[in-house]
Amino acid sequence: MDEAQRKKLEATTRYDPSEVEGRIFSEWMEGGYFHPEAEGTAEENFSVAIPPPNVTGALHMGHALNGSMQDALVRMNRMRGRNSLWILGTDHAGIATQSVVEKELRKEGKSRHDLGREAFVERVWEWRAEYGSRIVEQYKRLGASCDYERERFTLDEGYVKAVHRVFKKLFDKGYIYRDNYMVNWDPGSHSAISDLEVENREVEDALYSIDYPVEDSDQVLTVATVRPETMLADTAVAVNPDDERYAELVGKHCVLPLVGRRVPIIADDHVDVEFGTGALKITPGHDPNDFEIGRKHGLQEIGVIGPDGRMTSDAGEFAGLTAAEAQKAVVEALRAEGRLRAEEPYVHSVPFSHRSGERIEPLISLQWFCRMDELARPAIEVVERDEVNITPPQWKRVYLDWMEEIRPWCISRQLWWGHRIPVWYCDACQETIVAEAAPERCGTCGGELRQEEDVLDTWFSSAIWPFATLGWPDDTPELRAFYPTSFLTTAREILFLWVARMIMTGLEFPGAVPFRDVYVHSVIQARDGRRMSKSLGTGIDPLEEIDVHGADALRFGLLAMSSTQDVRFSDAKVEQGRDLANKLWNASRLILLNAAAVEPAPRPTCVEDRWILSRLERTIASVTEKLETYDFAHAVQEAYSFFWRDLCDWYLEIVKPRLYDGEEEVSATLLYALERVLGLLHPTMPFVSEEIWSYHPAQRGHLAVHAFPAADESLFDDAAEADVEGGIGLTQRLRAWRDLAGVPAGATLPAVIDGVEPPGFVSRLSRFEFDGVGAEPVASIGPVRVLDSDQLDGAAVAERLEKRREELRAEVERGERKLGNEGFVAKAPVEVVEEERGKLERYRNELAELS
RNA sequence: GGGCGCGUAGCUCAGUGGGAGAGCGCUCGCUUCACACGCGAGAGGUCGCUGGUUCGAAACCAGCCGUGCCCACCA
């Protein structure tokens, strides 16, 4: 510490994160600490792949929490000397990014179709060049020690190569195929989306009952539906095979009202006898269940609603109407024909697009699919065998259940922004070519080729993130040094969407699990318990919290509030973090400005020294263990409590006289403790710990690459802990007695010791002189006999005394009752009974003294 | 319909069988030479309800009530 530093330390009584954080971060970057060489093996090294945020994204609390946890472990391992890589990058986020740019175009009065595909995609790249680094910069504000030199993007050149390789391989294995199939059509993004991008919401609709006349009879079959407009595409009516009411109708036909088409009456056990009339209209073209039934029975598939959400020409007179308009018109027409039997309100759950928010239109369309069964099997096994460990453990079951039920994945999207599917068609000879790189001409007939228009689901590329970012499919040094990665932290909502798929592709391609541990972190809710969401306006901006309280405060707060359950955002916890940073700063000022010039080392000379060293080392052991097991909430709270309570409230107060005296032993011990506390806290509070470290006499380089403390068990000392904790307890009782007896805060009271001498600090911290003479004892607190003096108010003392007697009587009564219970004495463990006896005796003795 | 959580001090949350805890808030006292983002001392909980297991339950079991999330093709 030079003179300028000393002056600054003396003058700065308040830690100011805004002055520190930018400067410290630049120093880290200049040091190149976050950019490890690709050396060694994945076994020796430590690596984490960040869940890539959307390139359109802004840092939200989920990122901030997840980032704080990853950074804590990455920093801890880096400090331990392991070659540590935290790979960072962004996801091209097909629909989200395309929408942002389309919105921009709309402001200019244009659509993407005005530009054409090529120009539009060019435009999205421009957008990305301008705005795509926002979230990366925000991770820097958080202090995340990612390797910013190895930043990746899911559409960059090498990544495209990896995606094509995966597509080709899966196609060659027969997993990827093209089919006309029922998909979730999102009219908002004009694309198919996967099951996982659909959310069901409760909606109040009307349930219509419609009479379908049975051919050559005066009977009618009444069907119930919430979507009467789809009756135009009905190709059957189904009843349950066991339903006796309709047994003789099966095999006959109905005649569709309005349409006039003959449709068969079929039997299928999907039909619920109890529901409505027990007759179900079958619309294979517009309902997922009906689609399955239709395929099973070989029914015709008619589509009356098009991709634009409007009725097609097959809808006859209703063609051109939107589905909603058609619904009204069809209902009116049915009413007019007297076919509408009933209409009643009906609440049911309806699929909506998670992407655009619009109601999903189930449609049959030509899409690319990936069969999942073969990929899922090994991914199930590695989790069953705990080769991939999921914490908290209840998520293992959830993962396995979902994987057992996995269905084909619709991987094509009707978008322009994304990985264009590497498939080419020859119109001349109808050949389909799947290739990793664009072929020149058709290999069969030499004809012109036309590339598939669709792009891949964004999650298709995210699924290979842990190895594609390391250079796969090439055999790169990075891949050898950092794959498999060490662990993954994630929000539970992407357990299926992303985590499961990474495990599947990891096993299929590099041939090893992508990570050994998956930690599913808690969800931080808004202050009022609702979800944090942009649309609800309930989001809390982490950047604002960083601006106001500092990154360390936010990191501490988020970790502290993130127990395994879901938890509401707590300003108090962030403020607790802010206060801790300030307390660290000020306690460090006390030590650094007063310590003698000595080497930091444990140099205990008395019981208090042995006590604090024991507590320090035990805290290091415990906090470390909690960090390693992803118990971040308890880790930070325990570090807080050791530092604030034990070190500041007690030890620093105890040793101040020795410190001011320039005593070398206590200086060495304090500098040692400070060095270790800074190291211990650095993974969770990197900025303030790094800043303070720059003033520490042992500082030879940055704390970010200084050794993380390993607990020194030789300093554990049960006897010293017991002695000092006894002294602390006595001090607290003495202080409480003074307060309740109305003694002025500054007064020193005379007393004598009758019994075991307490540790030396008790007298000073409680402001009692233990060598008082002459006066009568008026109170007894442990071994301390308080002597009468003119600073005491007799009435208050008497009142205090009586209160204590009351407490003791209650304690004695409690003890007697417990020990009088024969069952307790006979069945409880001996040590528990002995402890009770000891306590009872102490309370009886004290009560006797006071009477 | 199935699954997983949660209900502990005014608030947000710890606490998995032996005397109810933390942070914030509140009350009282401290301009004590690191820190008022501070120091000291307090007040404040029939641990959702009802049964059960146990010498002993906030904790274990059952049921109920309340609440949140995930999954699911009953029109």
Side-chain angles (χ1 to χ4, degrees), chain A residues 78-89:
Chain A
R78 182 184 297 116
M79 290 171 80
R80 283 170 164 174
R82 289 177 81 182
N83 213 17
S84 300
L85 172 68
W86 185 4
I87 199 105
L88 165 93

Side-chain angles (χ1 to χ4, degrees), chain A residues 212-221 234-238 246-257 260-266 299-300:
Chain A
Y212 285 6
V214 178
E215 189 182 45
D216 301 328
S217 123
D218 8 336
Q219 275 185 281
V220 294
L221 267 179
D234 282 2
T235 54
V237 174
Y246 304 117
E248 84 282 6
L249 289 180
V250 174
K252 295 189 173 175
H253 288 76
C254 282
V255 178
L256 274 184
R261 181 165 56 240
R262 288 177 75 232
V263 300
I265 298 167
I266 61 174
L299 299 176
Q300 195 190 352

Side-chain angles (χ1 to χ4, degrees), chain A residues 97-166:
Chain A
T97 313
Q98 177 161 327
S99 308
V100 167
V101 177
E102 284 190 289
K103 197 182 276 177
E104 215 174 58
L105 284 175
R106 227 172 293 134
K107 281 188 199 144
E108 300 164 20
K110 285 186 271 189
S111 80
R112 68 185 154 111
H113 300 283
D114 295 330
L115 272 69
R117 183 166 190 154
E118 209 173 314
F120 177 77
V121 169
E122 187 51 41
R123 177 78 185 244
V124 184
W125 278 106
E126 284 166 19
W127 182 92
R128 189 241 171 188
E130 189 162 1
Y131 303 106
S133 59
R134 175 174 62 166
I135 193 154
V136 172
E137 293 306 311
Q138 292 176 329
Y139 269 98
K140 292 180 182 171
R141 290 291 314 280
L142 187 67
S145 63
C146 306
D147 186 349
Y148 296 92
E149 292 173 49
R150 284 196 175 95
E151 181 183 337
R152 296 300 303 267
F153 182 53
T154 54
L155 267 180
D156 64 30
E157 208 178 313
Y159 212 105
V160 170
K161 184 174 158 188
V163 167
H164 286 182
R165 170 71 58 89
V166 166

Side-chain angles (χ1 to χ4, degrees), chain A residues 15-29 75 138 140-143 542-543 545-555 578 581 685-691:
Chain A
Y15 174 69
D16 177 12
S18 64
E19 187 273 322
V20 170
E21 293 178 355
R23 173 163 50 78
I24 293 284
F25 197 85
S26 306
E27 290 175 18
W28 288 334
M29 291 297 279
R75 282 181 183 271
Q138 292 176 329
K140 292 180 182 171
R141 290 291 314 280
L142 187 67
L543 275 303
E545 297 292 319
I546 291 174
D547 287 340
V548 177
H549 300 304
D552 292 324
L554 177 66
R555 292 168 62 124
R578 175 204 61 189
M685 304 184 82
F687 290 107
V688 66
S689 53
E690 186 74 80
E691 173 68 3

Side-chain angles (χ1 to χ4, degrees), chain A residues 739-777:
Chain A
D739 242 46
L740 290 167
V743 180
T748 299
L749 300 181
V752 292
I753 300 298
D754 176 16
V756 183
E757 191 77 21
F761 63 85
V762 175
S763 163
R764 184 168 51 85
L765 295 188
S766 60
R767 290 180 192 257
F768 275 91
E769 291 283 359
F770 288 159
D771 50 5
V773 277
E776 285 297 303

Side-chain angles (χ1 to χ4, degrees), chain A residues 732-744 792-793 795-801 803-804 807:
Chain A
Q732 289 174 317
R733 283 165 62 198
L734 290 168
R735 284 169 171 172
W737 186 89
R738 298 172 55 110
D739 242 46
L740 290 167
V743 180
L792 291 179
D793 169 350
V797 169
E799 196 182 318
R800 179 73 190 92
L801 216 57
K803 194 180 167 197
R804 180 62 185 159
E807 285 168 12

Side-chain angles (χ1 to χ4, degrees), chain A residues 430-442:
Chain A
Q430 301 297 308
E431 192 70 38
T432 295
I433 301 161
V434 176
E436 291 181 43
E440 291 284 315
R441 310 195 73 81
C442 174

